[in-house]
Amino acid sequence: MKITIREQQTPLSRLKRLARELSRFGAVGGFGFLVSVAVFNLCLHTFQLASVRSGVIATAAAICCNYVGHRYWTYRHADKDRVRREVVLFMVFSGFGMVIENGILAISHYALGFTSPLADNIAKNVVGLGVASAFRFWSFRTWVFRTPPESSAGRLLGLPREEQREDRRVLLK
């Protein structure tokens, strides 16, 4: 009787995998954060755009950078057969994250009256980004970048996942 890959996973191995995923997600997000802060402050101070408009433009720029990083590094193992679906879901969930992030900025700026550049940066890039990042991490790993199912032939033969991938690539050529 062969033991499947799922049965071999221990809580510790799942925790290590989650920590690795979180660190990669954070690294890509860190780069996106730098892009977002730079574009936000450029729009706010150089082009004199409104706070929320600057926030939306900055978040859109970061979303584009983050898709590339997540697709080709954080979730490179994810199913590549449905890229169009993946891009649409990524944009939808990133859009929800943008609403969360800039909604917190709007509440801080317009409802609470915290209108200084420092207050705007804290509202958008600390509080808003923190809440939106937690939402994005959950939605990306749950809905967007899904792991491809193991091939039924590979499961029946008890092949390791790497050999199943190689086997699948040969069949697709």
Side-chain angles (χ1 to χ4, degrees):
M1 182 171 128
K2 296 285 183 187
I3 298 175
T4 65
I5 291 174
R6 294 264 180 219
E7 292 171 340
Q8 291 175 354
Q9 292 181 355
T10 65
L12 182 60
S13 68
R14 285 192 299 259
L15 187 61
K16 284 180 181 178
R17 192 175 73 237
L18 179 64
R20 195 171 35 252
E21 181 181 346
L22 265 170
S23 66
R24 287 180 178 191
F25 185 88
V28 171
F31 181 75
F33 172 76
L34 294 176
V35 169
S36 180
V37 169
V39 172
F40 178 70
N41 286 294
L42 181 73
C43 290
L44 196 62
H45 301 297
T46 304
F47 299 119
Q48 304 297 316
L49 297 177
S51 293
V52 175
R53 183 173 297 144
S54 297
V56 169
I57 292 168
T59 305
I63 286 170
C64 293
C65 293
N66 287 351
Y67 176 75
V68 173
H70 289 316
R71 166 73 276 163
Y72 295 105
W73 191 51
T74 308
Y75 298 105
R76 67 178 177 261
H77 63 278
D79 189 4
K80 292 177 179 62
D81 293 336
R82 296 186 252 164
V83 174
R84 184 176 292 152
R85 173 190 174 280
E86 176 184 286
V87 170
V88 169
L89 286 175
F90 185 88
M91 292 303 166
V92 167
F93 287 116
S94 292
F96 284 137
M98 181 187 295
V99 169
I100 292 168
E101 197 173 318
N102 291 292
I104 290 172
L105 170 62
I107 290 168
S108 169
H109 190 88
Y110 298 110
L112 301 177
F114 298 121
T115 58
S116 73
L118 178 63
D120 286 345
N121 272 289
I122 289 171
K124 182 193 181 309
N125 296 318
V126 177
V127 178
L129 186 63
V131 173
S133 292
F135 168 76
R136 287 180 182 125
F137 179 73
W138 169 80
S139 62
F140 291 170
R141 76 184 318 258
T142 304
W143 299 103
V144 179
F145 297 107
R146 299 181 66 171
T147 304
E150 297 175 33
S151 71
S152 57
R155 267 196 320 268
L156 290 175
L157 296 173
L159 295 175
R161 181 168 244 137
E162 284 301 315
E163 288 183 37
Q164 290 178 35
R165 283 191 196 127
E166 289 298 319
D167 209 27
R168 185 166 185 252
R169 286 186 195 128
V170 170
L171 290 174
L172 294 176
K173 287 185 180 180

